[in-house]
Amino acid sequence: MRFVHDTLPQRVRFASDGAAEGLAAEVAALGARRVMVIAGTSEQEPAARVTAGLPVVHRHDDVVMHVPLEVAQRARAAAAERDVDALVSVGGGSTTGLAKAVALTTGLPIIAVPTTYAGSEATAVWGLTDNSVKTTGTDPKVLPRAIVYDAALTLSLPVELSVASGLNALAHCVDSLWAPRADPINQALAVEGARALRAGLPLVAAAPAGMDGREQALYGAYLSASAFASAGSGLHHKICHVLGGMFNLPHAQTHAVVLPHVLAFNAPGVPEVERRLAVALDAPTADEGLARLRERLNAPHSLRELGMPSDGIAEAAKAVVAAAPAGNPRPVTLDAITELLRTAWEGTDPR
């Protein structure tokens, strides 16, 4: 056994109904006096509730999916105008992503309060979209100093979005099993994350107001993101970044649709890893386990229903092949990726 593993420096607070208390403690630990709260319009009420009493000098609600460059520039200007000394993000991946865009150029510390299962809060990965091209990178400046997890904040997330967001988290697990820097530690985190998501998401779908499923899903989402932060982006995420930037597709739903196709493509190349994932998904094979879970969750099934045009497949396939990571379990050829995208666009069962 021989590997190099990076563990990112970050505090995690996990307590249902504990967001306000945990956030106050983290702001005090930073010694922050001029806080900028970033939360989209739909998150304004919970954001106001959990940040009450903090030294907030600006509440920023200009949040857009995939973080367009011009949106990032407006947020950076707002932070500079108010001499902000800390950022608090309350929301999903787009909200965390905008806070990261500000931190990337300013070095301001972030405290993340997630309300979905996106996982961006646990990584040093940033992403910006300019002229329909999404660029991603890693930088320690954008890693939130602390995460305040409160499963109660996910209760307002509709079941449909909970499912898509949870499957996005599961995609982090799957990609981490064979990503460029995959190692035994992040594989262990990914397998346990997959187990927790498999257990929690059906409970969320069946009883949206229940806390057990929400806590399991949020726990699994954190593990999935921790694995992904160490392992790096695999083929699945490269595909979804291309599709999101090129066609402005919804982030979580795109991941939910593409995941079974990438799993079916790569799993035969890593049989030992596939068996571990199958156990986590409580099925004879990983493909079967994912199919069962998606059926229970009534998951989105085609890129066509998300708005991707069929004539974009060829262009997207070329971009994916150019961006594909080295060391993928199977060769990433133009023909193979074109076929993968075509079946994902049609919603064909990849098995």
Side-chain angles (χ1 to χ4, degrees), residues 34-35 47 102 108 110 131 143 146 150 159 176 189 195 197 222 229 235 255 266 268 271 332 340:
R34 301 185 62 81
V35 174
V102 176
L108 288 170
I110 303 170
N131 293 323
L143 178 72
D150 181 346
V159 169
S176 297
L189 293 173
R195 183 210 60 77
L197 288 161
Y222 168 68
L235 178 62
H255 282 270
N266 271 343
V332 180
L340 186 155

Side-chain angles (χ1 to χ4, degrees), residues 160-172 201 236-237 240 250-262 290 294 297-303 305-306 344 350:
E160 181 180 351
L161 291 180
S162 295
V163 165
S165 185
L167 290 173
N168 177 24
L170 185 57
H172 287 123
L201 290 176
H236 172 91
H237 278 77
C240 292
H251 180 82
Q253 291 89 334
T254 301
H255 282 270
V257 168
V258 171
L259 178 57
H261 299 273
V262 177
L290 179 58
R294 286 172 51 81
L297 298 176
N298 192 27
H301 71 281
S302 75
L303 294 173
E305 70 187 67
L306 300 184

Side-chain angles (χ1 to χ4, degrees), residues 6 21 36 58 61 68 71 79 89 97 114-115 125 127 141 162 184 195 202 223-225 258 278 281 288 309 325 328:
D6 287 322
E21 179 183 357
M36 174 171 164
H58 178 55
D61 65 0
V71 173
S89 64
T115 61
V125 178
K141 291 197 298 290
S162 295
R195 183 210 60 77
L223 292 178
S224 75
V258 171
L281 296 177
E288 180 65 25
N328 192 67

Side-chain angles (χ1 to χ4, degrees), residues 106-297:
T106 64
L108 288 170
I110 303 170
I111 304 171
V113 185
T115 61
T116 73
Y117 310 121
S120 176
E121 67 277 358
T123 80
V125 178
W126 57 266
L128 291 166
T129 301
D130 188 25
N131 293 323
S132 298
V133 176
K134 186 168 185 176
T135 301
T136 62
T138 59
D139 192 306
K141 291 197 298 290
V142 310
L143 178 72
R145 301 287 183 87
I147 310 170
V148 178
Y149 283 118
D150 181 346
L153 294 178
T154 70
L155 290 173
S156 61
L157 189 65
V159 169
E160 181 180 351
L161 291 180
S162 295
V163 165
S165 185
L167 290 173
N168 177 24
L170 185 57
H172 287 123
C173 295
V174 174
D175 234 13
S176 297
L177 296 174
W178 47 59
R181 299 188 303 276
D183 65 47
I185 295 175
N186 50 50
Q187 286 180 340
L189 293 173
V191 169
E192 169 61 6
R195 183 210 60 77
L197 288 161
R198 187 264 305 162
L201 290 176
L203 294 177
V204 172
M211 291 301 296
D212 288 349
R214 298 280 181 178
E215 288 185 341
Q216 281 291 309
L218 199 57
Y219 162 67
Y222 168 68
L223 292 178
S224 75
S226 295
F228 179 73
S230 174
S233 292
L235 178 62
H236 172 91
H237 278 77
K238 296 299 184 182
I239 291 173
C240 292
H241 287 163
V242 166
L243 297 179
M246 192 173 287
F247 306 113
N248 196 34
L249 303 184
H251 180 82
Q253 291 89 334
T254 301
H255 282 270
V257 168
V258 171
L259 178 57
H261 299 273
V262 177
L263 177 59
F265 178 72
N266 271 343
V270 280
E272 292 185 6
V273 171
E274 187 276 338
R275 284 193 291 272
R276 293 177 64 190
L277 182 59
V279 172
L281 296 177
D282 193 28
T285 68
D287 283 338
E288 180 65 25
L290 179 58
R292 291 178 185 175
L293 180 61
R294 286 172 51 81
E295 183 176 357
R296 292 180 69 184
L297 298 176

Side-chain angles (χ1 to χ4, degrees), residues 37-49 59-61 90:
V37 176
I38 300 176
T41 54
S42 63
E43 301 290 354
Q44 286 301 303
E45 187 279 324
R49 180 160 33 88
R59 295 184 182 275
H60 194 84
D61 65 0
V90 183

